[in-house]
Each structure stands twice: as C-alpha cells, then as structure tokens.
Amino acid sequence: MADPELHVKINSLICEGTAYCVRINPDVFGIGTDGLGEVLVDRPAPEFEDSLEEAATLCPTRAITY
Amino acid sequence: METIRDMEPPPHIIGIKHFVDYKTVDEILKSKNFRQGSHQESQPFFGDSLLTIDHGEHFERRRLEAPLFRKEALEYYEREELLPLISSSLEECEQNRGADGLVRADLCLLVRNMLARISAVTTGIDGVDTPERTDAFRTYVEQLGTGATVEWSTEDHGEVIERILAIRQGFVEEFYGPSVERRCELIDQFRAGQISEDDLPRDLLTLMYLHWNEDWDDELPLREATLYTVASSQTTTHAVPHMMMHLHEWFEVHPEDYEKRFDREFLKRAGHEAIRLHLPSPALLRIALEDVTLSNGIEIAEGERVACLFTPANRDTSVFGDDAKSFDPYREVPDVKPWGFAFGGGEHTCIGRTLVTGLSARTDGDEGTDGTLVNIALALFGAGIELDPEEMPAFTELSYHDAYGRFPVILRDL
C-alpha cells in the first residue's frame, strides 16, 4: 500500500536526462520520450524511501524530490 | 574599474570549434555522445578523478561519493563546520587591526581560509585546526589548484607542473599521508569488529579506502582528494569577491536595497548572478564519441574535441534577457538554472554544487541550507565590509580565469 507521505516528483526544467535515477530504482523512475526522467510510481511504498534518497542525492542536478 | 569583462579564450582552446550559445552548450553537455575532454595537461593532478571519467565509471564513482552531499550531511557541514569557521576566521582578522583602529583583510585570502577548513572536512584531511595549519593547508590547496588548472596558466605549463608536483609531495607528507594512515587504521578496526561503521569519519578518503576498487591505482585517492580540496574551495573563493564587488556597485545605484544585505533570498539571488557572470570554470572541453550532428546542423567528427564556452553562454540574451551582460539580483529566469553553466551540466554537473548554493535554492525544491555564498556574505556584511578606498581590487595575471588576485577590504564593524 502506498505511503501518502512519499510523493515523488522530477523537476523537468532542471532534469538533464542522465538516467541515474533509473539505474537506482527502475521501478519508480523511467525515461520519457523526451529523454528526460519520468516518475512511473509517484506514491511508492515506504520501503522505497532509502532508494529514493539515494536517487535524489545522486541526481547530478538534484531534480528529484519525494 | 571594469568588473564584467569578456572572456579571453586561453591558448589551449584556440583552434578548435567553440560553442558560445546557451542552447548548443546545453545540448553538448547533456549528450551521451560526448566524453570529458578537459584537463589533458593536468592529468598528474586530476587524472581518473570524478571530473575526468565518464558514463558507467562516472556513475559508480559518483554513487560512492554522493552520500557526502546528502541533505543531512549538508546541514551538518553548514551548521557545525561552516558557520563556526566563518566566525573564527573573522575573529582572527581582528589581529590585523591597524593604527587607525580599522581591520583590513584581503577577501581572496580570507574566503580561501574559510573554505580551506570546510574542504578539509569533506575530503578527510586532518590537522587543519589552527591558523598556522590552515594557512599552510590553504597554500597547498591554492598551489594544487594551479597545477590542476595548468591549461589556464599564463606561465610555462611544464614548469608549473614540475613545481606543483614537488609542492604536492609536501602536502602528502604534512597533511594527506597522516590523514590516510589514520583512516586506514580505523577501517582495519571496523573490519575487525572493534568499532562500528558509525565511528568512521564521513569523508571522501574514508569512503574510498573503505570501498576500494581494485581497478584504481594507488595514487587515485590523492588525485580525487586534490579534486575535492580544490573544487570545494575554488568556486566560493572565486565567487565571493565578484559578489561583493557587484553588490557594492548595486548599492551605490540602488541605496534603497542596502538594507537587504542581510536578506538571505536577496543574497542568494546576488550569488547566483555573480557566478552566472563570473564562472570558476569558464570553458570545458568535450570529445565526440562518434560522428555527431548537432541540432544547429554543425557536424562534429568522432574524436574531435570541442569547447563549450560558458561565459558567453551564460550571457546569452535569448535566455537571460537583453541585459544578460549585467548584474541584476532581481533577474527572473524561470526556465533555466539561475547560475547557468557555473556548475557545468549533464552527468558532470558539480557534485558539490549544493555546498555553494545551498539546498533551499529554487531548483532543489527542498529546504535545509543556504550554502557558502549566502552565509559568507551575511557574515561579511555583519562585519561591516567595505572596499578599501586606498587599495583597489585587482584581477589575477597568473591565469586566464576571470578571478580576482587581490581584493582589499575594510571590516569596519569588527
């Protein structure tokens, strides 16, 4: 069951399509047709929080919030 | 004094294709069809560091090091390290009170000293804990920075490399070697179950030795540490004098804004404008991995090196407005990063950017820190910073970088 406190977003204005987030968590993140990151599951389960933190920190442009 | 100058391309990028418009530079930096092409001569200092590796290798190295810049880590650096260091650095300035009762300082040296200790913490260099040791460390970092950016030097490059390699040996003996030795001992204790992982320092060198990669050469941590110590101090050291100069000019024309010198949001915008106009890395090179045709129709052959000139790109009027070549702390650029390419772009975006701009920048969507520029500016205004009318700032002549070499100030309220 999704945790309502985890709400994943990618700021498309600053995302640069490095796809690092996809490498960390391909269940939550993907690459859109525009080559930029897209959120596949915007309200994931709590067990995803650690990987979300890693993805958000690793993103070179810090485009991810959750 | 002309405070916003056009970029003079250094010799090492003359003769190759230059790209100066924002859109094309952005395309190249984001493209997976290029690899890092800078720092060719400075390989002894930055070779195989995060700055110079690409794609899969870059991802793995960045993944290892990214925890140093987690939100909690940034909050710790700012609260427990940066703010006390700023205060103590200003207190030390009081020892230089003149006969007229005024405290004078060179802002370039002052900020470099402030950042030296922060860079030591994130890198994992011990013993930067007294004014004398800080001064020694700062001097080493400054020299290492000269070596690591030798491509931009106006001196003979071979002589610079030889000189700085000799100086680096002193750095290894005085600071780096003992720091590594202590960390390796702690890691051995951790692996023996004598201490927990929480007892290990949280810094670059600990991470590297804890997660050693057999593909690394023995000297790689030294080069990575060089990158961190230089890069983590360089941007702020470069930017603060520019920021202070532009605010000095701005307040002369807009005296009604002088009261905003303690306004964090105003200072944040001022900092963004300062680094947009005066980039610590004004140009970077990329090498095409295959034949590429850019969106503008220009063809680049496989193996061809091209130069992305950030200074003109950051002053692109189609992106930043008709007055892009001037300082405006109220500039609104909703569609791009307010600092433009000051921290590069694509996967090579500076890993330490949030140390400088803070996490509460508009592009982070998070609250937490204000970064070095805002905090140092606040402290300087709190100390009553003024330009010294008897001694004007001067740009460095030792490098093609758009940097001050000397920035005399009076700290009137110390």
Side-chain angles (χ1 to χ4, degrees):
Chain A
M1 189 164 94
D3 183 333
E5 294 185 6
L6 289 177
H7 187 187
V8 186
K9 297 180 186 176
I10 293 177
N11 185 333
S12 59
L13 289 178
I14 60 171
C15 173
E16 299 199 348
T18 63
Y20 281 12
C21 53
V22 180
R23 294 195 198 197
I24 297 297
N25 194 325
D27 294 321
V28 174
F29 299 103
I31 291 294
T33 53
D34 58 1
L36 299 182
E38 67 174 5
V39 178
L40 303 177
V41 179
D42 66 340
R43 294 185 187 275
E47 54 262 36
F48 282 110
E49 186 164 4
D50 286 349
S51 73
L52 291 179
E53 185 194 16
E54 184 177 17
T57 304
L58 183 57
C59 173
T61 59
R62 306 297 280 251
I64 297 168
T65 57
Y66 63 95
Chain B
M1 179 181 182
E2 184 186 14
T3 57
I4 298 178
R5 304 174 297 171
D6 288 330
M7 175 187 169
E8 180 183 345
H12 77 283
I13 67 172
I14 291 173
I16 62 177
K17 281 194 182 82
H18 291 178
F19 295 101
V20 299
D21 65 288
Y22 188 98
K23 184 170 177 236
T24 305
V25 169
D26 193 52
E27 179 182 349
I28 292 171
L29 292 182
K30 289 177 181 174
S31 171
K32 293 176 175 51
N33 295 324
F34 289 87
R35 64 177 174 87
Q36 174 67 263
S38 299
H39 295 284
Q40 301 294 298
E41 291 179 271
S42 49
Q43 284 286 308
F45 303 100
F46 272 177
D48 295 324
S49 68
L50 181 69
L51 189 65
T52 63
I53 55 178
D54 295 278
H55 309 312
E57 194 179 1
H58 186 96
F59 171 81
E60 293 301 333
R61 184 80 59 81
R62 200 169 182 118
R63 189 176 189 180
L64 171 68
E65 297 171 5
L68 294 172
F69 304 98
R70 293 170 60 230
K71 180 171 175 289
E72 289 72 21
L74 292 166
E75 289 172 342
Y76 171 85
Y77 297 144
E78 184 153 298
R79 187 181 61 243
E80 303 295 334
E81 302 289 347
L82 177 65
L83 294 180
L85 286 170
I86 292 172
S87 293
S88 62
S89 294
L90 288 173
E91 282 172 16
E92 287 165 15
C93 285
E94 295 185 47
Q95 298 169 13
N96 295 326
R97 192 176 301 279
D100 59 0
L102 294 176
V103 174
R104 289 179 171 78
D106 181 338
L107 192 60
C108 293
L109 283 180
L110 176 58
V111 176
R112 199 177 280 280
N113 269 348
M114 290 176 181
L115 268 298
R117 291 170 177 166
I118 283 288
S119 73
V121 167
T122 53
T123 306
I125 301 296
D126 299 324
V128 186
D129 48 11
T130 66
E132 294 74 26
R133 292 280 292 175
T134 300
D135 204 54
F137 178 74
R138 173 191 57 75
T139 304
Y140 278 127
V141 173
E142 202 169 334
Q143 294 299 315
L144 290 172
T146 298
T149 58
V150 66
E151 291 85 353
W152 292 82
S153 176
T154 56
E155 300 177 89
D156 179 272
H157 291 188
E159 288 175 6
V160 171
I161 291 170
E162 189 178 341
R163 183 177 81 234
I164 305 301
L165 282 174
I167 290 172
R168 190 177 70 173
Q169 193 49 41
F171 171 70
V172 171
E173 289 167 8
E174 275 191 61
F175 288 99
Y176 175 83
S179 302
V180 167
E181 191 176 331
R182 185 174 84 88
R183 277 153 185 77
C184 287
E185 286 172 1
L186 288 170
I187 290 170
D188 286 344
Q189 290 174 28
F190 162 65
R191 289 189 173 134
Q194 296 165 1
I195 62 174
S196 73
E197 192 165 2
D198 287 345
D199 294 324
L200 294 174
R202 294 178 189 274
D203 52 52
L204 171 74
L205 288 176
T206 302
L207 281 176
M208 291 192 80
Y209 280 97
L210 184 61
H211 302 284
W212 187 264
N213 185 322
E214 291 303 323
D215 292 335
W216 296 346
D217 64 88
D218 289 344
E219 202 187 70
L220 178 62
L222 173 59
R223 298 195 299 275
E224 197 82 341
T226 300
L227 171 63
Y228 267 63
T229 51
V230 170
S232 60
S233 58
Q234 189 62 24
T235 301
T236 303
T237 302
H238 172 93
V240 169
H242 284 293
M243 186 179 169
M244 289 296 119
M245 176 58 85
H246 284 308
L247 283 172
H248 166 77
E249 294 175 332
W250 183 266
F251 292 145
E252 283 195 331
V253 178
H254 305 277
E256 71 280 6
D257 278 350
Y258 187 65
E259 62 182 20
K260 292 189 176 181
R261 66 196 186 282
F262 298 117
D263 182 321
R264 287 176 183 269
E265 187 57 35
F266 178 79
L267 290 177
K268 195 169 301 173
R269 287 168 165 269
H272 295 167
E273 275 287 275
I275 56 176
R276 179 183 70 81
L277 288 165
H278 307 283
L279 298 103
S281 293
L284 288 177
L285 308 184
R286 291 290 185 266
I287 297 173
L289 292 168
E290 56 187 50
D291 290 347
V292 175
T293 302
L294 299 175
S295 299
N296 58 16
I298 292 178
E299 295 178 349
I300 301 170
E302 179 183 347
E304 184 177 354
R305 181 177 287 126
V306 299
C308 295
L309 272 56
F310 294 162
T311 299
N314 264 19
R315 301 174 188 181
D316 190 330
T317 55
S318 69
V319 173
F320 295 100
D322 292 339
D323 64 344
K325 296 180 183 177
S326 61
F327 174 86
D328 179 3
Y330 297 110
R331 186 177 306 281
E332 293 287 345
V333 280
D335 296 332
V336 301
K337 301 179 287 291
W339 46 77
F341 297 115
F343 299 95
E347 72 170 0
H348 277 281
T349 300
C350 177
I351 195 172
R353 190 265 298 168
T354 46
L355 274 175
V356 179
T357 65
L359 269 176
S360 53
R362 174 175 56 82
T363 54
D364 286 300
D366 199 354
E367 301 294 328
T369 62
D370 289 321
T372 55
L373 291 181
V374 168
N375 282 300
I376 290 175
L378 277 170
L380 290 172
F381 282 120
I385 187 171
E386 301 171 2
L387 266 61
D388 189 337
E390 295 176 10
E391 213 177 337
M392 291 302 293
F395 293 112
T396 182
E397 294 180 356
L398 296 177
S399 165
Y400 289 94
H401 283 118
D402 175 24
Y404 285 99
R406 193 177 80 247
F407 201 98
V409 297
I410 293 171
L411 300 171
R412 188 170 291 278
D413 296 339
L414 285 185

